[in-house]
Amino acid sequence: MLRDRAAIFVDGRYTLAVKDQVDLSVFRPVALEEANLESARENLSRGNRLGYDPWLHTPRQVERLAKAAEAVAPSSSQSSEPDRPDLDDRPPRPLGKISLHARKFAGENASRKLARAAAALADKDALW
């Protein structure tokens, strides 16, 4: 958010949904991939701050955002971690027995599906 404009960073999953979920007269959707040194130079100046929630970005994205902001306006990057709910008041973990769906319902066996999910997470630099 700057004095005269604000952006909301979105990745591919929310590119379409964001248009229905935020006031577009206030926020301009920006693809997260565009958050780089070039966009920081175009939008930040000394005295501006770039705020972000580190829980919503991968470590690589946080590093890229911080470096871009620092290159333009030293001390302009700021992790803005909102209040988190108290995790101690969650319901207890289920104690029921876990069972796998038959392959005809799941589409593939569990070990193959887990391996595919793990590879996709690793490919996206996600922490899991």
Side-chain angles (χ1 to χ4, degrees), residues 31-50:
L32 192 55
E33 298 80 35
E34 295 176 22
N36 56 32
L37 183 55
E38 180 82 21
S39 64
R41 281 190 181 123
E42 291 172 6
N43 294 290
L44 294 176
S45 59
R46 193 164 299 281
N48 291 151
R49 288 188 171 251
L50 173 65

Side-chain angles (χ1 to χ4, degrees), residues 7-125:
I8 181 167
F9 296 102
V10 295
D11 64 12
R13 297 170 294 171
Y14 300 108
T15 303
L16 297 175
V18 71
K19 295 172 184 175
D20 295 325
Q21 297 175 350
V22 301
D23 183 347
L24 296 178
S25 69
V26 177
F27 292 97
R28 181 177 66 94
V30 175
L32 192 55
E33 298 80 35
E34 295 176 22
N36 56 32
L37 183 55
E38 180 82 21
S39 64
R41 281 190 181 123
E42 291 172 6
N43 294 290
L44 294 176
S45 59
R46 193 164 299 281
N48 291 151
R49 288 188 171 251
L50 173 65
Y52 56 88
D53 181 349
W55 287 90
L56 300 178
H57 302 283
T58 66
R60 185 180 294 163
Q61 290 168 337
V62 168
E63 182 179 334
R64 188 176 62 201
L65 289 168
K67 282 183 180 178
E70 283 293 317
V72 175
S75 300
S76 66
S77 177
Q78 175 179 334
S79 171
S80 175
E81 189 171 335
D83 291 336
R84 295 280 171 199
D86 184 5
L87 299 180
D88 292 333
D89 68 353
R90 292 187 290 185
R93 290 180 181 244
L95 300 176
K97 188 175 181 179
I98 296 174
S99 60
L100 299 175
H101 287 292
R103 186 169 178 193
K104 68 180 181 179
F105 299 118
E108 63 184 319
N109 67 38
S111 60
R112 186 171 292 157
K113 190 177 282 190
L114 290 170
R116 190 169 45 82
L121 289 169
D123 185 49
K124 300 294 183 194
D125 192 32

